[in-house]
Amino acid sequence: MIDFRKELNPAQREAVETLDGPVLVIAGAGSGKTRTIVYRMANIVQQGHSPDSILLLTFTRKAAQEMLDRASLLLGAQGLYGVTGGTFHSFAYAWLRRYAEAMGAKNGLTVMDQSDAEGILRDIRDDLRLGKGDRSFPKRSTLLSLISKSRNKEMPIADILRGEAYHLSRYEDEIGLVAKGYESFKTRHGLLDYDDLLFGLERLLSDHAPALELARARYRFVMVDEFQDTNLVQARIVRLLAGDGGNVMAVGDDAQSIYAFRGANVHNILDFPNQFPGAKIIRLEQNYRSAQPVLDLTNAILEQAQLKFRKHLFSERKDGPLPQVFRTLSDRSQANAVVNKVLELSKKYPLHEIAVLFRAGYHSYPVEVALNKLGMRFQKFGGLRFSEAAHIKDVLGFMRLGQNPADVPSWQRVLSHIKGVGPKTVGRIYEAVLAGDNAHLAGVRRRSPEIGEVLDFLDEQRALGGTPAAMLARVLEFYTPILERKYPDDYPQRRSGLEQLERIASQYSDLEAFLGDISLENPQDEDERGKEHALVLSTVHSSKGLEWSVVLVIDLVQDRFPSRHALNSADDLEEERRLLYVACTRARDYLGLFVPSTVYNQYNHSSEPALESPFLAELPETVYESWRENFSGTMSRARDAAPAQALASPRSFGASAPAAPSAPATGKVPPSRLGYCRHKIFGRGKIVATVDGDKYRVNFPGFGLKVILANFLELE
């Protein structure tokens, strides 16, 4: 018999021993979620129930297999043979195959892979004569992605385009026709794609009583992992399987719901008690990963969340350094500050135990350049490496030819967007340029005005010269129409990467030095052994489920973290808060947060004051050490002063932050005045209470209650 008292903490044990009725396990980060699921399966069998009565639904086959293997080891010879464990999609496929005829598929089910689906979309597009000769028309992979998002989010394609691909909105009608043709084609030929499996299972369980009765009779114990990541149809399938008795355990963490872009809906877990009346809620709050100082900060991040299950993570590891917040002078100096911190911490921790996390893949570009200059090995997860991005290589090709006309690869890149231009044509142009063969070049210009435009632009670049920033600005003006034609599906994202390149270029006065630093390749080992000695760079989304001894989070300013798009929606802003929570809870020992005080504006080629991330501005100063970069480039501890951000910009947040100068500025809310006010980010709100004399609790429609310093509110 398994000794649960010895193996589990009280909350885990309660979850493992509760076998009847609906149960929601709120599993905080690092709280032993997998261990709890494994021991519960073992306990079900140990109590005499058949393994056949257990259904375990996960999001990856690997996760399901790991849990089944661990539970089998606990049970020993008794084993766990017969448990149904796997992904929602694999479970759906198995049941749809069993009832294929009942679903009208007399010849069985045929499930398409992605390449099959893309091929059908290509044929439908051609049959409808859509996008013919239009190089900007969405690629078939993009069409499939948009159709899939529409299905998973259960939203019209028009809404998907407006929210996630506005640059493709002009093709709304055409994409709608392709989607309609795609559905008709699948129906006529008895085909299913990946998304159809879930909706097919829902239809089977809803419309075919024998299937539903059999599923409920067999699966006495339904368990769902990562419930916060379920989409709407997956939540409905769980309700159908659980039945009126609701004998289901959902395990997850609302605070780690960060995949809305895939269709995940945080309200599935938040509404669980309403969907299953009488549900027992068990909170796993003991953290086995992080030191308590890290958890104190992450608890404070969640404290301001509007919709949440309350929890307070705690650890037996009470020691450990206080998290540090570094306010650098600029986003340009931030990269050097990050690398210096990595060098300092690498004396204590191996490089692969240090991670630099960021909101978007291109945010790490300045750090990558700084690491390459030092020759420090790194690996990157999420987003392309700076040196691998095709659009970056395109732009740098124009700049390299300004320095070295004999650069053959750069000639290939700057002419690659022109139809009919291949290596042989590029070679002849290259030879003619170096040999001064003006007759050949004149012939090329007559045959291809596009090539002539490139040659004229390169001549202009060489004549004007200037700083790397000035040259890059001219290149981007010339290249932007090419970017939009060459990468029609995702050019807004690529343009963001080019903006980051502008920030890097602004640090240089010499073209040779700029191109040299950009061109340095990160040293790579061919085998896996090399990764043991490589710093980790990762987007926060790619970091989920991982952990490191040291975590550094960069760009904690508005428009970057949270992203600029999130400020338009209360739901999106709350997901950004959860994203920061996920980032910080990856740290075991040390957490460092970086806040650039100014950011480079590529439109006027100067740096401007940045607004500190609202999630950081809300934190009490007791949960972190505040450090500032001096004009000498060194860091010093900020002790008895408000954060630099609050003093530098009257537009800043002030929620739960150290007090700004005590005398409110003219036009601000006076200390005793209640009523309506306006805030730079949250808009119009009602002041409902005073807090500590110089702070106010304000109710903002769509955002809820916030505590804000008086100096950051405008009286109506």
Side-chain angles (χ1 to χ4, degrees):
M1 294 289 287
I2 303 170
D3 187 349
F4 295 122
R5 289 188 174 276
K6 182 179 179 181
E7 299 289 334
L8 305 167
N9 68 41
Q12 291 173 334
R13 190 167 66 248
E14 183 182 9
V16 165
E17 294 178 344
T18 302
L19 302 184
D20 296 314
V23 182
L24 176 61
V25 178
I26 302 298
S31 62
K33 166 182 69 73
T34 299
R35 184 179 184 83
T36 301
I37 294 173
V38 166
Y39 273 77
R40 187 173 191 262
M41 285 194 293
N43 187 41
I44 290 170
V45 175
Q46 189 171 272
Q47 295 300 320
H49 300 284
S50 169
D52 290 349
S53 64
I54 301 174
L55 170 62
L56 172 64
L57 294 173
T58 65
F59 278 83
T60 66
R61 288 192 297 266
K62 181 180 178 182
Q65 194 59 53
E66 178 190 350
M67 293 177 189
L68 294 174
D69 290 345
R70 287 174 57 178
S72 295
L73 286 174
L74 283 176
L75 290 166
Q78 189 175 5
L80 205 63
Y81 182 77
V83 170
T84 300
T87 65
F88 276 91
H89 291 86
S90 63
F91 176 72
Y93 181 56
W95 277 77
L96 289 174
R97 283 183 61 192
R98 176 180 292 189
Y99 289 95
E101 288 194 24
M103 295 296 290
K106 296 181 180 180
N107 298 320
L109 294 176
T110 301
V111 180
M112 303 180 294
D113 60 20
Q114 182 169 326
S115 61
D116 294 332
E118 289 181 6
I120 292 170
L121 288 174
R122 177 198 58 213
D123 294 341
I124 292 170
R125 182 191 62 196
D126 292 345
D127 290 344
L128 294 173
R129 298 183 180 277
L130 298 175
K132 195 173 183 64
D134 183 357
R135 297 176 66 182
S136 296
F137 194 80
K139 298 175 184 175
R140 53 192 178 181
S141 59
T142 301
L143 290 171
L144 183 61
S145 174
L146 292 170
I147 293 170
S148 179
K149 284 186 176 182
S150 175
R151 296 287 309 281
N152 279 296
K153 293 189 175 186
E154 301 184 32
M155 294 169 57
I157 283 179
D159 291 346
I160 299 295
L161 290 173
R162 277 191 288 272
E164 302 183 33
Y166 188 76
H167 61 291
L168 298 177
S169 293
R170 66 183 184 276
Y171 296 115
E172 178 184 321
D173 293 340
E174 291 90 338
I175 295 172
L177 288 173
V178 172
K180 185 177 180 180
Y182 179 61
E183 292 302 317
S184 298
F185 186 96
K186 289 188 296 180
T187 301
R188 287 197 310 272
H189 297 277
L191 299 172
L192 298 175
D193 64 17
Y194 198 61
D195 300 320
D196 293 326
L197 293 173
L198 298 179
F199 290 96
L201 177 60
E202 181 188 24
R203 191 167 68 253
L204 171 66
L205 297 177
S206 299
D207 299 344
H208 195 66
L212 180 62
E213 291 170 5
L214 178 62
R216 288 180 175 176
R218 175 175 177 180
Y219 300 121
R220 170 82 174 77
F221 303 97
V222 178
M223 302 175 68
V224 187
D225 186 27
E226 303 283 14
F227 196 72
Q228 79 279 353
D229 292 337
T230 55
N231 61 20
L232 293 171
V233 67
Q234 288 167 329
R236 293 196 297 269
I237 289 170
V238 171
R239 289 199 293 274
L240 284 166
L241 291 170
D244 296 333
N247 195 22
V248 57
M249 172 179 278
V251 183
D253 184 4
D254 56 297
Q256 296 188 70
S257 180
I258 60 173
Y259 294 117
F261 67 94
R262 295 181 186 169
N265 194 316
V266 69
H267 292 284
N268 288 342
I269 191 169
L270 293 172
D271 291 344
F272 188 92
N274 297 325
Q275 296 296 330
F276 295 95
K280 186 174 188 178
I281 300 176
I282 301 171
R283 292 172 172 82
L284 304 185
E285 298 175 296
Q286 184 169 354
N287 179 283
Y288 294 92
R289 175 188 301 152
S290 305
Q292 190 62 47
V294 172
L295 298 180
D296 289 340
L297 185 140
T298 59
N299 286 334
I301 290 173
L302 290 187
E303 188 62 32
Q304 298 291 332
Q306 299 305 302
L307 295 172
K308 62 180 182 291
F309 287 104
R310 288 197 170 276
K311 57 181 170 292
H312 187 84
L313 298 183
F314 65 93
S315 171
E316 292 183 352
R317 293 179 55 201
K318 303 303 180 185
D319 59 341
L322 206 61
Q324 294 178 311
V325 174
F326 299 96
R327 292 180 172 87
T328 63
L329 292 172
S330 70
D331 54 346
R332 292 179 283 177
S333 64
Q334 175 184 240
N336 292 330
V338 169
V339 172
N340 288 337
K341 196 65 184 176
V342 169
L343 289 172
E344 174 192 329
L345 292 166
S346 64
K347 297 173 183 176
K348 181 177 181 181
Y349 301 99
L351 278 178
H352 67 272
E353 278 296 330
I354 303 174
V356 180
L357 305 184
F358 32 87
R359 175 64 181 83
Y362 59 86
H363 288 170
S364 68
Y365 288 172
V367 175
E368 292 180 46
V369 172
L371 291 171
N372 282 337
K373 288 168 70 175
L374 285 178
M376 183 179 291
R377 183 176 288 109
F378 66 86
Q379 50 187 321
K380 185 175 181 180
F381 304 108
L384 289 172
R385 286 175 178 269
F386 188 69
S387 59
E388 293 173 353
H391 55 293
I392 300 293
K393 289 183 176 181
D394 290 347
V395 167
L396 292 177
F398 283 99
M399 300 190 71
R400 285 199 179 101
L401 287 176
Q403 181 191 35
N404 178 16
D407 186 340
V408 178
S410 291
W411 278 109
Q412 184 67 58
R413 295 217 69 92
V414 303
L415 296 173
S416 63
H417 67 282
I418 301 174
K419 189 175 182 180
V421 174
K424 290 184 179 179
T425 302
V426 171
R428 287 193 289 268
I429 293 173
Y430 162 77
E431 293 292 346
V433 167
L434 292 188
D437 188 348
N438 294 326
H440 179 79
L441 293 175
V444 169
R445 288 172 179 274
R446 285 194 299 272
R447 292 189 296 273
S448 175
E450 285 185 277
I451 294 178
E453 289 177 5
V454 172
L455 295 176
D456 289 341
F457 174 74
L458 290 173
D459 283 337
E460 179 186 3
Q461 273 286 80
R462 287 173 59 80
L464 293 175
T467 65
M471 296 180 69
L472 180 58
R474 293 195 297 269
V475 169
L476 292 182
E477 183 178 357
F478 181 81
Y479 178 72
T480 295
I482 300 172
L483 175 77
E484 295 179 3
R485 292 197 306 270
K486 193 173 181 180
Y487 308 103
D489 298 331
D490 62 352
Y491 69 80
Q493 182 178 354
R494 292 177 185 267
R495 191 159 52 201
S496 296
L498 293 173
E499 291 174 6
Q500 198 75 303
L501 182 62
E502 286 190 280
R503 296 186 182 103
I504 296 170
S506 68
Q507 303 175 54
Y508 291 82
S509 58
D510 178 68
L511 179 62
E512 184 177 359
F514 169 68
L515 292 176
D517 287 348
I518 290 292
S519 302
L520 285 171
E521 289 295 332
N522 179 250
Q524 295 292 312
D525 281 358
E526 294 298 325
D527 57 22
E528 289 297 312
R529 186 168 46 84
K531 294 184 178 180
E532 296 178 3
H533 307 285
L535 175 71
V536 176
L537 304 183
S538 177
T539 61
V540 181
H541 283 102
S542 297
S543 76
K544 182 136 185 308
L546 303 175
E547 59 185 72
W548 297 273
S549 296
V550 172
V551 168
L552 309 177
V553 186
I554 64 173
D555 279 336
L556 284 167
V557 293
Q558 288 182 49
D559 288 352
R560 297 192 192 179
F561 206 153
S563 71
R564 67 187 65 175
H565 305 294
L567 297 176
N568 299 322
S569 163
D571 286 344
D572 291 346
L573 191 62
E574 285 302 292
E575 178 157 315
E576 295 286 309
R577 179 192 303 280
R578 297 193 293 270
L579 201 59
L580 180 59
Y581 169 80
V582 168
C584 295
T585 52
R586 302 308 95 197
R588 288 194 291 261
D589 301 337
Y590 174 86
L591 176 64
L593 307 175
F594 289 79
V595 186
S597 298
T598 62
V599 297
Y600 184 76
N601 185 324
Q602 68 275 10
Y603 298 109
N604 59 20
H605 306 295
S606 65
S607 291
E608 296 180 344
L611 292 173
E612 185 169 290
S613 172
F615 314 129
L616 193 57
E618 290 170 348
L619 296 179
E621 60 181 342
T622 54
V623 299
Y624 65 85
E625 285 182 4
S626 183
W627 291 73
R628 287 203 191 95
E629 183 181 13
N630 303 316
F631 292 119
S632 61
T634 60
M635 287 285 177
S636 62
R637 177 81 179 272
R639 300 185 182 275
D640 300 318
Q645 184 59 41
L647 296 175
S649 173
R651 299 175 295 167
S652 304
F653 280 74
S656 299
S662 57
T666 304
K668 306 297 183 183
V669 180
S672 61
R673 180 70 176 269
L674 302 183
Y676 288 95
C677 63
R678 300 196 73 83
H679 188 273
K680 180 71 175 179
I681 300 300
F682 298 128
R684 189 172 187 264
K686 181 178 177 62
I687 302 173
V688 297
T690 59
V691 181
D692 298 333
D694 62 343
K695 303 186 188 103
Y696 298 88
R697 183 168 284 109
V698 185
N699 186 21
F700 295 98
F703 293 93
L705 292 173
K706 298 284 184 183
V707 177
I708 308 288
L709 279 170
N711 280 36
F712 304 115
L713 299 174
E714 296 284 350
L715 179 66
E716 284 195 349

